[in-house]
Amino acid sequence: MRSQQRKPAKFLPHLIRFFTLICVLFAPGVFASDAENTHAILDLTATTAGYLCVTIFILAYLLVMGEEVLHLRKSKPVLIAAGFIWGVIGYIYVQNGMSELSEAAFKHNLLEYAELLLFLLVAMTYISAMEERNLFDALRSWMILKGFSLRTVFWLTGFMAFFISPIADNLTTALLMCAVVMKVGGDNKGFISIACINIVVAANAGGAFSPFGDITTLMVWQKGTVHFSEFLHLFIPSLVNYLVPAAIMSFFIKNTTQDTQEEKVRLKRGARRIVVLFLLTITTAVCTHSLLGLPPVLGMMTGLGFLQLFGFFLRKSFPKAILLAKEKAKQENDLKRLGQLGNVVPFDVFRRIAQAEWDTLLFFYGVVLCVGGLGFMGYLSLVSEAMYSQWDVTYANVAVGVLSAIVDNIPVMFAVLTMNPDMVLGQWLLVTLTAGVGGSLLSIGSAAGVALMGQARGNYTFIGHLKWTPVIALGYIASILVHLWLNSALF
């Protein structure tokens, strides 16, 4: 935390001067005018370098927002932006003889990304494995044969996302529910888009009232500012946050069923056991953090080992299993099943890993490194200091949620926890709520939204989500008002 307060920088004039700044990028002394060769981290918020990096970040995000129109994969601009931002930081710190500080900061951000990468990779691998074993096809078939309308599927997946995310985290839950929606929706892009928005809102809302539901809640719990049982005070506000936009969006879904003739889908061998292994993996990740105090990614990677070992068993027992299945099909005179057995292939876990959504994973790298670089320059602390020292604390906590929709909520919450403002329990719960659900305002505001943009590519987009932002904002405002009223004794 800095001892001196600064007024928030005005970036608009520097956006106009963008191309001029590029020309003077490597001019001596232009970056840190008052920097001294000390071991303190340089404050670059009021320097040309800082304005340049903010401009680069804004331009990259504009390209991400235009993915639907430009057909430019969202990972490309943020990867380049991350390289430029850290290149500028590295140059400044080398010139000041402090390269070890910038190196340590970069490695710290890289470690944060590595944990997120491996966590996501395991979750995506399991989802790919369950899809390959026909689990989601079978679930789609069951829903259609049961006569569930699209509106019913919308509510089912939303409520499942809300109640599963406190246990399995919002990111993993969103990926699972999105797979179900895509199978049920088929070619109905309109339904898939609005259902994915519903899932993102529900998963983020559900993750806000549990220490395991989101990385930000984990951070607050680890810090000790909110105890485990105290998170339950946010259950009703979180539920309101989900129900308000969901109720409005549901009126725009036709209460009809799919017009396809659906037949019962047979699960491939090992499908149910993979689901059990996935639940075991989630449990291992939770226990790794809560009981051992280690990052949840350790449990997730251990769970990947479970899947690999089970894949080895499926491959080794594959020839015998095929012979037994053929004999059973002949005995039951099930000619259709006998014909399907010829298309069955052994399970290959490494093929599942290769089919992960790498554009999304690389996008996360760019976002984490870009935001980390701007944070290292001092912008996150600058904004948080300005809010908590000059604004009413309630307004500041509400603004944290809006800010987390633009900048990832993890560094925003990290900045708040680093400042450690003097707040009562009700205010800490408020900032936990807003940081968790505020990311739902934009598709790029949460890990769940970004992941679904990759999984439902072409169906769920930034622009498609933006159309419903006013409705989601109603839920955001309603949840805050309910918290202020329901938990007034905590303020």
Side-chain angles (χ1 to χ4, degrees), residues 1 21 31 39 43 71 82 87 105 130 148 227 298 328 401 470:
M1 177 177 173
L21 296 177
F31 290 105
H39 293 288
D43 181 1
H71 302 291
M130 287 186 280
F148 290 152
H227 298 297
L298 174 62
K328 186 176 180 180

Side-chain angles (χ1 to χ4, degrees), residues 39-72:
H39 293 288
I41 296 176
L42 301 177
D43 181 1
L44 305 176
T45 55
T47 63
T48 304
Y51 300 143
L52 173 62
C53 290
V54 170
T55 303
I56 292 173
F57 179 69
I58 292 173
L59 291 175
Y61 250 62
L62 288 175
L63 291 174
V64 170
M65 294 174 186
E67 180 186 22
E68 186 176 3
V69 177
L70 299 174
H71 302 291
L72 176 70

Side-chain angles (χ1 to χ4, degrees), residues 261-413:
Q261 289 294 113
E262 188 69 27
E263 297 182 0
K264 188 175 181 180
V265 176
R266 295 182 183 274
L267 294 175
K268 292 184 182 179
R269 192 170 67 99
R272 294 184 180 88
R273 282 171 284 182
I274 288 178
V275 174
V276 173
L277 287 176
F278 184 58
L279 295 176
L280 179 61
T281 298
I282 296 298
T283 303
T284 304
V286 171
C287 292
T288 298
H289 176 77
S290 60
L291 300 180
L292 304 179
L294 296 172
V297 68
L298 174 62
M300 293 297 287
M301 291 301 292
T302 305
L304 181 60
F306 297 156
L307 183 62
Q308 288 183 313
L309 191 61
F310 183 64
F312 174 78
F313 165 76
L314 289 178
R315 288 197 305 275
K316 285 295 184 182
S317 58
F318 177 72
K320 184 178 179 180
I322 286 294
L323 290 176
L324 292 174
K326 285 183 177 180
E327 290 179 5
K328 186 176 180 180
K330 288 179 181 178
Q331 291 173 0
E332 297 176 355
N333 198 26
D334 191 347
L335 298 178
K336 187 170 184 179
R337 183 179 182 185
L338 187 62
Q340 290 175 340
L341 288 173
N343 298 323
V344 177
V345 294
F347 180 76
D348 185 357
V349 68
F350 291 104
R351 184 175 296 176
R352 299 301 105 201
I353 295 174
Q355 291 180 352
E357 181 51 54
W358 285 98
D359 181 53
T360 299
L361 297 176
L362 293 175
F363 174 78
F364 271 118
Y365 167 86
V367 170
V368 170
L369 269 294
C370 283
V371 174
L374 294 177
F376 185 62
M377 285 183 156
Y379 282 106
L380 290 179
S381 296
L382 178 71
V383 173
S384 59
E385 284 179 15
M387 290 193 305
Y388 284 99
S389 61
Q390 300 177 19
W391 298 4
D392 179 84
V393 66
T394 300
Y395 297 148
N397 287 334
V398 172
V400 164
V402 178
L403 185 62
S404 69
I406 304 170
V407 182
D408 187 72
N409 60 355
I410 297 173
V412 172
M413 179 57 78

